[in-house]
């Protein structure tokens, strides 16, 4: 399981992360909501552990933003606020579970494993960008009457681009996304996945293309000349 942990208490975050790592989890710890939000957008996580009382932005505001943008990752709220009204508010905002500080690491581990066993929320299975229609479940892209299937790796790469159109996606971020395939990915293998997606888009005459930004990464853009053709 890969976890995103957003906690601005460095001591608590570090100690909890070490305990979770010993329990067999892969943990990405961030102390600011900005860094955590960026990771949440580009990496596929099994569960997000989110502190409510963050210094720069309420964890509930961050959760609300994530749900508003279609991020359906299970979220466990971790906070010192333990009244019934506060728990209800957190769950109503979109959380899946709630654990009050102080807590036993054994209970946190059990709750995380329980969350990972739940069926995923039914987010919109279709992503549209430019003239592309991407069916996530079927791993199929359509441009007009043309259709193309994608391998699992290709689908992960394409979804990362389509969920952050116009934004730079680095090789490290693509590697993090492909981490779910339980394989070791090199720069060359990432380039191969990007090349295959790029070729399929070109073969279908899509208005969307994947551009290489030297020294930065890649970005998905709409070519107005193709879109207006």
């Amino acid at each position: 399981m890969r976890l995103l942990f957003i906690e601005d208490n460095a001591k608590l975050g570090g100690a909890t992360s070490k305990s979770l790592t010993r329990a067999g989890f892969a943990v990405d710890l961030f102390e600011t909501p900005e860094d955590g939000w960026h990771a949440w957008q580009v990496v596929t996580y099994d569960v997000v552990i989110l502190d409510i009382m963050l210094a720069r932005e309420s964890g509930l505001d961050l959760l609300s933003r994530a749900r508003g943008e279609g991020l359906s990752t299970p979220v466990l709220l971790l906070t010192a606020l333990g009244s019934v009204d506060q728990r209800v508010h957190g769950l109503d905002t979109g959380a899946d579970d709630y654990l009050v500080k102080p807590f036993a690491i054994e209970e946190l581990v059990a709750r995380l494993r329980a969350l990972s066993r739940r069926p995923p929320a039914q987010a919109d299975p279709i992503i549209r960008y430019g003239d592309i229609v991407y069916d996530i479940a079927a791993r199929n892209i359509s441009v007009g009457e043309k259709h193309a299937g994608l391998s699992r790796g290709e689908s992960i790469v394409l979804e990362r681009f389509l969920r952050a159109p116009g934004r730079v996606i680095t090789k490290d971020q693509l590697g993090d996304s492909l981490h779910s395939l339980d394989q070791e990915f090199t720069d060359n293998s990432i380039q191969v996945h990007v090349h295959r997606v790029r070729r399929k888009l070109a073969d279908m005459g899509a208005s969307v293309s994947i551009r290489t930004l030297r020294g930065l990464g890649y970005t998905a853009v709409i070519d107005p000349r193709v879109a207006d053709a």
Side-chain angles (χ1 to χ4, degrees), residues 1 3 25 47 74-78 87 91 96-100 103-118:
M1 284 179 63
L3 308 176
F25 298 96
V47 180
V75 172
L76 184 148
L77 292 177
L78 197 62
R87 294 184 208 180
L91 295 171
D96 298 88
D97 201 355
Y98 202 111
L99 186 58
V100 178
F103 56 88
I105 194 67
E106 293 82 3
E107 181 178 3
L108 176 58
V109 167
R111 287 175 180 267
L112 291 172
R113 288 176 176 159
L115 284 176
S116 72
R117 292 193 294 267
R118 292 184 185 178

Side-chain angles (χ1 to χ4, degrees), residues 125-201:
I126 303 296
I127 300 178
R128 293 177 172 82
Y129 181 57
D131 55 5
I132 289 178
V133 179
Y134 174 46
D135 186 324
I136 298 173
R139 295 182 193 161
N140 181 275
I141 51 175
S142 302
V143 178
E145 298 300 317
K146 298 179 180 179
H147 303 271
L150 300 174
S151 69
R152 187 181 176 196
E154 292 166 354
S155 67
I156 289 173
V157 167
L158 179 61
E159 186 174 346
R160 293 281 71 75
F161 285 122
L162 296 186
R163 290 200 181 278
R167 295 184 57 177
V168 176
I169 306 297
T170 68
K171 288 182 179 179
D172 286 343
Q173 290 167 346
L174 288 175
D176 285 341
S177 297
L178 290 164
H179 176 80
S180 61
L181 293 178
D182 296 324
Q183 297 179 21
E184 187 68 29
F185 281 88
T186 63
D187 282 356
N188 183 65
S189 62
I190 291 172
Q191 290 172 0
V192 169
H193 279 85
V194 172
H195 171 74
R196 289 174 177 170
V197 171
R198 183 182 276 154
R199 184 179 62 192
K200 288 185 178 181
L201 294 176

Side-chain angles (χ1 to χ4, degrees), residues 62-88:
L62 188 62
L63 173 58
S64 180
R65 190 189 340 163
R67 295 305 189 228
E69 295 198 14
L71 295 174
S72 57
T73 317
V75 172
L76 184 148
L77 292 177
L78 197 62
T79 181
L81 303 175
S83 74
V84 173
D85 287 345
Q86 289 162 341
R87 294 184 208 180
V88 169

